[in-house]
Every structure is written in C-alpha cells, then in structure tokens.
Amino acid sequence: QVQLVESGGGLVQAGGSLRLSCAASTRTFTTYAMGWFRKAPGKEREFVAAISWGGARIYYSDSVKGRFTISRDNAKIATYLQMDSLKPEDTAIYYCAADKVSIHDQPLSRVDYWGQGTQVTVSS
C-alpha cells in the first residue's frame, strides 16, 4: 500500500527550528514530485514547498521563502522540510504530498498522495 508518513513536528519557540521528514513506502516515489502543504486552524490547506523528482526544480510559497528549505534523498525515499526562523503564524498541521507530475501548480484535489500530517506549534 502506498503511504507517506510525516514525522518531526512539535512545539518550538518563535525563532527556533524544526526539521520535518516524510518517509515513503515504495521506491515509486523516487519518480514523483514531492511537496509540503499546511493547514492552520480556520484556514484552508496551503502550499508550502515542492521539489521535482530529481531535485532540480524547487518552489516555495512567499510566506516561507528564505526560511524553509525542502530537500529529498531518493536513496532513502525521503523528503525533508527544514524550517528555520519559525513564527507563530507557521503553526499548522503540515502534510507531505506526492504527485506524478507536479505539486506547486496542481489543485489540491488532483494531488495523487497525501500523508496524515504532523502538528507544528510555534509559541510566541
């Protein structure tokens, strides 16, 4: 069964850092674009970052550009989101996503696979 499992969420003070990981269950994901979305309370799920299957193309939302870094390790079938200079407004459930074509320009409903999410809470 195809699965994406996130880890690394938690509680951190503003200005701190967290590193999220997304482990995939099958090597099929090494050919998929991977990305991260987040959903804050009372808000819709929004795009955060994406990386192409080979890592050559990377995209960020304006709200995290310069603070977050997405990467992947296809040998480990894993994708990461390094989050630095965290702000209280970064508080959300963070979801890993995978798509055969792309992540950053797809409607949410068309993204192929989603993880269950991991909570990130940034205190002020």
Side-chain angles (χ1 to χ4, degrees), residues 18-83:
L18 282 175
R19 188 191 193 213
L20 304 184
S21 298
C22 174
S25 61
T26 168
R27 297 206 63 84
T28 299
F29 285 105
T30 60
T31 63
Y32 277 57
M34 301 294 295
W36 293 89
F37 290 75
R38 66 187 182 186
K39 187 181 186 308
K43 296 185 178 181
E44 295 185 352
R45 192 175 299 195
E46 64 173 2
F47 168 76
V48 174
I51 186 168
S52 61
W53 71 270
R57 294 181 297 278
I58 290 177
Y59 308 90
Y60 296 102
S61 68
D62 288 342
S63 61
V64 307
K65 198 173 296 183
R67 299 187 299 121
F68 289 12
T69 304
I70 189 171
S71 62
R72 67 189 297 164
D73 185 339
N74 284 340
K76 296 181 179 179
I77 325 175
T79 303
Y80 308 99
L81 186 68
Q82 177 67 40
M83 304 186 295

Side-chain angles (χ1 to χ4, degrees), residues 94-120:
Y94 283 71
Y95 297 90
C96 180
D99 192 271
K100 183 62 175 174
V101 178
S102 67
I103 293 285
H104 69 288
D105 57 357
Q106 286 270 42
L108 297 183
S109 61
R110 295 189 64 180
V111 172
D112 290 334
Y113 299 102
W114 294 94
Q116 292 299 306
T118 185
Q119 177 70 47
V120 171

